[in-house]
Amino acid sequence: GEIFGILRQMKETFESNLSASQKEEMANQKAYEDLKAAKEDEIAAGQAQIEAKTGELADTDEKNAQAKVDVEDTKASLSADEQFLMMLKEKCQMTDKEWEERQKTRQLEMEAVSKALAVLAGDDAHDLFTKTFNPALLQADSTENSQRRAAASRVLSAVASKLHSPRLATLAYQVKLDAFTRVKKAIDDMIAQLLKEKEAEIKHKDFCV
């Protein structure tokens, strides 16, 4: 009977321990399931955050790429503007010395034409030309004087040679050989051209200044 009592007590002890162990295991299982669910939620949140950051990074990369394109376009536009400005400066590059030389050359050409007119039309016409510089007021000599034409041609030829002016040389040739009416027209055209060039250079200089 004593042995059965001991065995019965041992059985009750084992059953009690087993029950406690089962309860503890169930509690541990529930704690594990709760921890697992919490970790899965954290993982899901982390994955969502990663996807969001990846999307933001893609947008940023795209914006950076577009910004680089915009910068390159801006640089290209700036370079084109700078080249245009450089070309404009080069075009407008006219020193005071060059300006004075051009004006001096044109003045000498005008004086040569004035002297040629003086020889052809007489001193009175020369005075009138000098004061007004209006070819329309010049008096035409009705008679053709070959000596005067030759002298006028020499005046023009001398200045043409000094200035290396082809148009004065051509005018000198016309004065010597052509009829007076054609000579007068050639001189009128020459004067008009000189005045036109003078006006154009003044406008160009004013524009550059």
Side-chain angles (χ1 to χ4, degrees):
E2 184 177 354
I3 293 174
F4 281 109
I6 294 173
L7 291 175
R8 188 179 296 112
Q9 186 177 2
M10 289 177 62
K11 178 183 177 184
E12 290 175 354
T13 301
F14 288 152
E15 288 176 347
S16 177
N17 291 340
L18 177 62
S19 177
S21 297
Q22 287 177 338
K23 288 181 180 178
E24 184 179 358
E25 183 178 353
M26 289 179 63
N28 290 338
Q29 181 67 28
K30 186 176 184 306
Y32 169 76
E33 294 295 337
D34 292 342
L35 179 62
K36 180 181 177 182
K39 294 301 180 182
E40 287 178 347
D41 290 341
E42 291 179 5
I43 290 172
Q47 187 63 37
Q49 187 174 13
I50 290 173
E51 292 176 356
K53 294 297 183 182
T54 302
E56 291 177 3
L57 179 61
D59 291 341
T60 302
D61 289 341
E62 183 178 356
K63 290 178 180 178
N64 286 339
Q66 184 61 45
K68 289 180 180 179
V69 172
D70 293 341
V71 169
E72 293 301 323
D73 290 343
T74 302
K75 286 182 178 178
S77 177
L78 177 60
S79 177
D81 291 342
E82 288 176 343
Q83 289 180 3
F84 175 77
L85 181 60
M86 186 180 299
M87 290 175 59
L88 188 61
K89 287 181 177 179
E90 289 177 356
K91 185 178 179 181
C92 290
Q93 192 70 32
M94 181 183 293
T95 63
D96 292 339
K97 183 178 179 181
E98 289 173 337
W99 171 258
E100 290 174 1
E101 286 297 327
R102 289 175 185 269
Q103 293 302 303
K104 181 179 178 181
T105 298
R106 185 165 295 103
Q107 185 61 35
L108 290 174
E109 288 177 331
M110 289 180 178
E111 289 176 1
V113 174
S114 174
K115 290 177 181 178
L117 282 172
V119 174
L120 290 172
D123 293 338
D124 292 340
H126 174 255
D127 291 340
L128 186 62
F129 172 82
T130 303
K131 292 177 181 177
T132 64
F133 202 68
N134 187 348
L137 298 180
L138 294 175
Q139 298 178 357
D141 189 355
S142 61
T143 61
E144 296 180 3
N145 188 316
S146 61
Q147 292 181 348
R148 280 190 174 184
R149 291 221 308 265
S153 177
R154 287 194 296 271
V155 171
L156 293 172
S157 294
V159 179
S161 178
K162 180 181 179 181
L163 300 178
H164 303 287
S165 173
R167 58 186 176 187
L168 274 185
T170 301
L171 183 60
Y173 180 80
Q174 292 174 323
V175 166
K176 186 175 181 180
L177 298 180
D178 291 346
F180 183 79
T181 53
R182 295 179 63 182
V183 169
K184 183 177 182 301
K185 183 180 184 306
I187 291 176
D188 288 345
D189 293 342
M190 178 76 169
I191 291 171
Q193 181 65 24
L194 289 171
L195 289 174
K196 184 178 180 181
E197 289 178 2
K198 182 178 180 180
E199 181 180 357
E201 284 203 356
I202 290 174
K203 287 182 179 179
H204 178 75
K205 186 173 178 65
D206 290 342
F207 169 77
C208 291
V209 173

